[in-house]
């Protein structure tokens, strides 16, 4: 599917005079079951996160506070998506190399993930990721 398999997902938002409330229900708003939640925070200026791909993991990346860019790369094409709202997440399908850059001060990035942490699901080397996407060992 490549980067065309990734898309922005607008999450429900309940607004009233007390502020906004957003929720995510597995199987309803996102196309995977949630087994893990992690978040990035206290991110120094100019830090770059990500820089890896996943073999089978599905994720939803949400800017809970502040903003940042997600660079998606399927080995053929690259696309940059700007995330800046807690009610809009980026669904990232398997076999996508991603880099998270341009964090604003105080930005918080929350990730909903389809599996528990498993280092064997990672491609940490870009050339190996590209070769695997082309069916090379
Ligand atoms: P890393 O993959 O470098 O984070 P990022 O995707 O933000 O670049 O992970 C940093 C460390 O945290 C690494 O040792 C793996 C560990 N880690 C866990 O133990 N559990 C997790 O759910 C995640 C995402 C990372």
């Amino acid at each position: 599917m490549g980067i065309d398999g990734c898309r922005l997902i607008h999450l429900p938002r309940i607004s009233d005079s007390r502020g906004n409330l957003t929720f995510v229900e597995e199987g309803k708003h996102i196309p995977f079951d949630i087994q893990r939640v992690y978040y990035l925070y206290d991110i120094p200026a100019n830090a770059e996160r990500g820089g890896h791909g996943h073999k089978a993991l599905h994720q939803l990346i949400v800017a809970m506070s502040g903003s940042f860019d997600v660079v998606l790369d399927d080995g053929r094409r690259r696309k940059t998506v700007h995330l800046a709202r807690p009610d809009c997440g980026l669904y990232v399908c398997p076999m996508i190399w991603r880099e998270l850059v341009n964090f604003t001060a105080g930005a918080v990035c929350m990730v909903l993930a389809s599996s528990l942490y498993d280092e064997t699901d990672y491609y940490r080397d870009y050339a190996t990721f590209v070769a695997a996407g082309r069916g090379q060992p």
Side-chain angles (χ1 to χ4, degrees):
M1 257 197 310
I3 55 176
D4 291 336
C6 302
R7 65 181 191 279
L8 287 171
I9 294 180
H10 294 277
L11 299 167
R13 185 180 69 210
I14 313 286
S15 301
D16 63 30
S17 59
R18 300 167 298 164
N20 297 329
L21 182 154
T22 284
F23 54 95
V24 185
E25 294 180 348
E26 88 183 11
K28 196 164 172 187
H29 304 119
I30 56 173
F32 59 87
D33 291 347
I34 302 163
Q35 285 200 0
R36 177 166 53 110
V37 179
Y38 67 92
Y39 29 95
L40 309 173
Y41 53 100
D42 293 343
I43 303 160
N46 300 319
E48 298 187 358
R49 305 287 319 212
H52 54 71
H54 285 284
K55 297 173 186 172
L57 191 72
H58 300 254
Q59 294 181 309
L60 187 81
I61 303 176
V62 183
M64 300 301 280
S65 185
S67 71
F68 51 86
D69 293 324
V70 185
V71 183
L72 302 170
D73 181 332
D74 60 12
R76 291 180 171 80
R77 288 184 297 147
R78 284 171 88 86
K79 184 164 103 174
T80 299
V81 179
H82 183 66
L83 293 181
R85 289 204 54 87
D87 58 359
C88 183
L90 175 64
Y91 167 66
V92 181
C93 62
M95 292 305 292
I96 300 293
W97 188 270
R98 88 291 310 277
E99 291 161 8
L100 282 68
V101 297
N102 298 330
F103 290 92
T104 57
V108 178
C109 169
M110 182 184 72
V111 182
L112 308 181
S114 63
S115 299
L116 304 183
Y117 174 73
D118 175 8
E119 186 60 35
T120 67
D121 186 65
Y122 280 74
Y123 292 105
R124 298 252 183 214
D125 174 69
Y126 183 71
T128 305
F129 163 77
V130 172
R134 292 181 181 163
Q136 295 159 8

